[in-house]
Amino acid sequence: MAEFAVRAAAAGDARALAELFAAVAGERDGIATEPPVDIAERAAQFAATIAGSVVAVAGGQLVGMIHVEATRHGFGEIGMCVDRDWRGRGVGSALLRAVISLARGQGLHKLSLEVFAHNAAAIALYRRAGFTEEGRRVRQYRRSSGELWDTIIMGLAL
Ligand SMILES: CC(C)(COP(=O)(O)OP(=O)(O)OC[C@H]1O[C@@H](n2cnc3c(N)ncnc32)[C@H](O)[C@@H]1OP(=O)(O)O)[C@@H](O)C(=O)NCCC(=O)NCCS
């Protein structure tokens, strides 16, 4: 089992969160954002919402993050990413478990997310955690390549 720890994010993590987010955006595959990512601006956004973030750290490096944004309607929207070199070692599953517990603690009644329809690893991860598919947005996201990508909406009652 790989050695990593999951903990609540702290204000000092904001820049590393932005750098991880930018690296995953550079893959142009799993998350909606594509380059360029303004690291300083993104770090400020993470810092402002740090209470909703959980991180995975290994050897002093931030290797994964998940964020829940509580809406005023009682549900939370989640987004996550794991460093490419750390995928497939249980980091995503551990982050998801932690954010479900955080969301319950915040009194949210449901978690919701949107995932690209081709993202089989993420969809499998969410299904294993109990999320079910609630709908599909067709040709919703225009990519820098010009392609139009579908997303799946998934939800988990807490
Ligand atoms: C999705 C993501 C967060 C998963 O993180 P992770 O740390 O690799 O997750 P885990 O190791 O806990 O679990 C991954 C699981 O997916 C499985 N998997 C990998 N590729 C797969 C595929 N093509 N089809 C189905 N399952 C797949 C792995 O086998 C593993 O399952 P297991 O635990 O039964 O072995 C990570 O791949 C990632 O950051 N991707 C890029 C960003 C992204 O897509 N974010 C989600 C946006 S909605």
Side-chain angles (χ1 to χ4, degrees), residues 24 27 29-31 78-83 86-94 113-116 119-126 128:
V24 177
E27 296 174 26
D29 182 47
I31 63 175
I78 65 168
M80 70 185 300
C81 58
V82 172
D83 182 304
W86 275 84
R87 291 181 196 157
R89 302 198 217 175
V91 174
S93 307
L113 63 86
E114 194 173 352
V115 55
F116 285 129
N119 195 345
I123 292 170
L125 175 69
Y126 298 137
R128 274 202 311 277

Side-chain angles (χ1 to χ4, degrees), residues 34-53:
E34 293 182 87
V37 172
D38 183 324
I39 301 280
E41 185 182 289
R42 187 61 65 163
Q45 284 170 10
F46 279 124
T49 59
I50 204 75
S53 292

